[in-house]
Amino acid sequence: MHGLGPSQARALDRSTKQRVSLTQGPPGTGKTRTAMALVDAVRSKTDARILIASATNDGVDNIAALCVDKGLNVGRVGTADSISTQFKARIAERCYFATVEKEMEEQHCGKSSWNKVRRKRLKILWDQTPIICATNGKAAEPPVVAAYSHKLVVLEESCMAIQPMSLIPVNQCSAEGATAHFGDPQQLPPACNSVWAAKNGLNISLMESLQEVPGIELCLLVEQHRMHPLIRRWPSLYFYKDQLTDGPAARARKPIPSIGWPGMSTIAFVDVKGREERDGSEGSINNMDEATALVSFLVAYLSSRDALKRTDIGIITPYSSQVTAIYQLLEAKRIEKGILLGTVDKFQGAERELILMSTVRCNTEHDIGFLKEERRLTVSYTHLRAHETKANLGCRLLLE
């Protein structure tokens, strides 16, 4: 069925038969591929309109690009500037706001009739476009999405959105239609900056709430194709009740050469007895000793004969101040280009072969800060492409 594995096929079958379906996709298990198979299956049987929404631009653009690759007629709500750089070449022309406005500028459309003409031309294009992709906030954008009723609403990265944002696309579903949620409650939670609102439930996603509704079952995707089995073992046991298995591609992974991995492991921990410092301007935290050790390690690795390309390397850390510190050191060594550097939140959905992680915290109070948030820890360990190997730098006495 669409070249899917057993758990993916089960999720697809449920999604085509139930009014509300929930598919939990741990990292590397093909969550987006399953969502794409659902869209393809519905469109192959009917000319129904479909709305695909996500909490992030990256999430929207990823599945929109897959639709384009599949030859499906899809449109992207929003401006061309909002499209992620890696997807722009494939879907920029599907962003009809930019297309229409460019045509109107070339035709010297007057300011007095601009809005009226734009609305009319957009409606013509959207009438011919059965699949609409938008972020949750744009999923009721007038006069575009709000003008249509959708037989299927697909919510990608559903667990990253607060409930009011998820309800925007859900409300665009027709009375006879269905909603399909794809996400992972063990990954990044919804962003909620208000402590009071979080205590009152705003930090719980709609997908998580729907799990408590009698009659709505969660379908777990279990075969992962991304991580080396040794890296998969811990998150599977700790977060997924030891249900994850390894596909052929994952089983074939080998440790990256030119790094002294302990034994046959693909994970290493480097004990750095550094000192954390609080950034006065941001209130964030950095650890220069750890940053220096990390960059020194990276410089030595890049000089080896078997070194990966910089575009295959990622550096992840919980604190923005540490991101800045590491970047400045990389820049001084002229090796900053190509390397993906960012906080845990930035790495949701990112993919690299080798990951270096700086945990930052080193104090006598045994305060590990952001690492208390288990779901951010899961992302830092699992949400990467081949994820063959991982090196962690931190204070052993604090983290034990």
Side-chain angles (χ1 to χ4, degrees), residues 56-269:
T56 65
N57 281 309
D58 281 348
V60 173
D61 296 335
N62 186 24
I63 197 164
L66 290 175
C67 287
V68 171
D69 295 344
K70 226 17 176 165
L72 298 175
N73 186 1
V74 61
R76 167 72 154 87
V77 178
T79 63
D81 291 339
S82 65
I83 298 175
S84 307
T85 304
Q86 59 180 321
F87 299 112
K88 193 160 285 190
R90 291 153 73 190
I91 62 174
E93 64 180 19
R94 306 301 180 106
C95 189
Y96 295 145
F97 284 102
T99 303
V100 166
E101 290 190 346
K102 184 178 179 181
E103 290 177 353
M104 291 170 64
E105 287 173 359
E106 291 173 350
Q107 296 168 8
H108 305 289
C109 183
K111 289 184 178 180
S112 60
S113 59
W114 182 275
N115 289 336
K116 183 178 180 181
V117 172
R118 188 180 75 156
R119 189 179 299 113
K120 183 177 179 180
R121 294 189 180 185
L122 278 173
K123 188 171 188 315
I124 292 172
L125 284 172
W126 289 114
D127 282 346
Q128 301 168 354
T129 307
I131 304 174
I132 297 178
C133 293
T135 57
N136 290 336
K138 291 280 187 180
E141 181 92 345
V144 183
V145 191
Y148 305 102
S149 181
H150 302 86
K151 189 68 180 288
L152 172 66
V153 174
V154 176
L155 291 94
E156 257 281 80
E157 300 293 3
S158 184
C159 292
M160 289 181 64
I162 58 174
Q163 293 193 34
M165 294 302 291
S166 292
L167 289 173
I168 296 173
V170 167
N171 283 335
Q172 303 306 310
C173 186
S174 66
E176 304 81 23
T179 59
H181 296 254
F182 292 84
D184 185 2
Q186 300 298 343
Q187 297 292 300
L188 290 182
C192 182
N193 296 325
S194 168
V195 175
W196 178 88
K199 285 182 178 179
N200 285 275
L202 196 63
N203 62 340
I204 299 173
S205 68
L206 180 59
M207 181 172 171
E208 290 173 277
S209 294
L210 288 171
Q211 286 181 242
E212 307 301 321
V213 178
I216 299 179
E217 296 182 12
L218 181 73
C219 187
L220 176 69
L221 305 182
V222 297
E223 186 177 72
Q224 69 88 22
H225 308 273
R226 179 182 297 159
M227 295 172 280
H228 188 284
L230 291 178
I231 295 177
R232 181 270 308 156
R233 185 181 300 168
W234 177 75
S236 176
L237 182 64
Y238 196 77
F239 295 104
Y240 302 105
K241 300 179 181 178
D242 204 21
Q243 296 181 78
L244 300 189
T245 61
D246 305 307
R251 292 196 299 272
R253 304 209 184 284
K254 292 181 170 62
I256 293 172
S258 300
I259 295 177
W261 302 105
M264 295 299 293
S265 180
T266 54
I267 305 173
F269 183 84

Side-chain angles (χ1 to χ4, degrees), residues 296-348:
S296 297
F297 171 88
L298 186 56
V299 169
Y301 170 71
L302 289 173
S303 66
S304 65
R305 185 178 62 183
D306 300 319
L308 295 168
K309 295 181 293 184
R310 293 184 207 170
T311 51
D312 288 326
I313 299 172
I315 302 173
I316 185 170
T317 182
Y319 295 93
S320 59
S321 183
Q322 187 75 344
V323 170
T324 302
I326 293 172
Y327 182 81
Q328 289 173 347
L329 292 173
L330 293 174
E331 197 173 32
K333 298 292 184 180
R334 298 183 178 179
I335 57 171
E336 77 281 2
K337 292 183 179 178
I339 295 173
L340 180 61
L341 167 65
T343 60
V344 178
D345 293 54
K346 181 178 179 179
F347 268 73
Q348 175 81 15

Side-chain angles (χ1 to χ4, degrees), residues 186-187 235 239-240 374-383:
Q186 300 298 343
Q187 297 292 300
F239 295 104
Y240 302 105
E374 293 179 344
R375 288 183 286 189
R376 282 187 166 81
L377 191 59
T378 315
V379 172
S380 70
Y381 262 82
T382 62
H383 222 94

